[in-house]
Amino acid sequence: MTTISHDFVEAWAEDSGIIWLRFKETGEHGIDEAKQVVDAHEQISGPVRARVMSDLRGLKTGADRHARAYYISPPAARYKLCMAMLVDGPLQTIIGNIFVRLSRPPYPTKLFTDEGAARDWLQSFPDKAVA
């Protein structure tokens, strides 16, 4: 298994085809960090739309408005089929739901506190062809 590691994120693909993005704690979550996340995802998935498990558990710094806008932009979203966001508590759930409601990502997005439920939801989406 290949793992891509940047200052802000680690990314790898499971045999199931799910791309994992595990966020690391840093003091900022701006456009530079968002570009690291998207770069890591694209290095792992290649030119294929993939199911994404975004592990935000333990992350204390939320994305600023520039990062949020970048995550849903066409260049950053082109290889996402769907995304499950793993969170670890009520505060992250509230913040994450605000992001989803206000930003309206161009791919199905849902928050979970249970990894198994997140995995089942991601697997419910059929594979797509090369983007």
Side-chain angles (χ1 to χ4, degrees):
M1 170 175 62
T2 300
T3 300
I4 304 296
S5 186
H6 290 291
D7 294 339
F8 192 67
V9 69
E10 283 187 338
W12 67 91
E14 291 184 341
D15 291 338
S16 67
I18 293 173
I19 304 292
W20 273 81
L21 301 172
R22 179 164 291 143
F23 287 75
K24 299 176 183 179
E25 178 56 42
T26 65
E28 295 183 25
H29 189 154
I31 191 72
D32 292 336
E33 290 78 18
K35 287 180 178 181
Q36 286 183 26
V37 172
V38 171
D39 178 65
H41 172 211
E42 291 182 1
Q43 286 183 50
I44 294 294
S45 71
V48 177
R49 293 180 69 203
R51 298 170 190 92
V52 178
M53 181 82 75
S54 185
D55 188 351
L56 305 170
R57 296 174 291 190
L59 192 62
K60 305 289 186 255
T61 305
D64 71 17
R65 68 182 176 93
H66 299 292
R68 290 190 308 268
Y70 180 71
Y71 283 133
I72 61 169
S73 69
R78 67 184 169 192
Y79 298 130
K80 290 180 181 74
L81 175 62
C82 53
M83 182 170 64
M85 299 168 71
L86 282 175
V87 296
D88 62 3
L91 182 59
Q92 278 190 331
T93 301
I94 291 168
I95 293 168
N97 280 323
I98 290 170
F99 164 75
V100 171
R101 284 189 195 128
L102 294 178
S103 301
R104 293 193 199 143
Y107 42 83
T109 304
K110 190 170 178 180
L111 276 77
F112 294 89
T113 55
D114 178 79
E115 188 177 315
R119 184 182 307 281
D120 290 345
W121 181 78
L122 289 171
Q123 294 294 1
S124 73
F125 290 86
D127 290 332
K128 295 288 183 179
V130 173

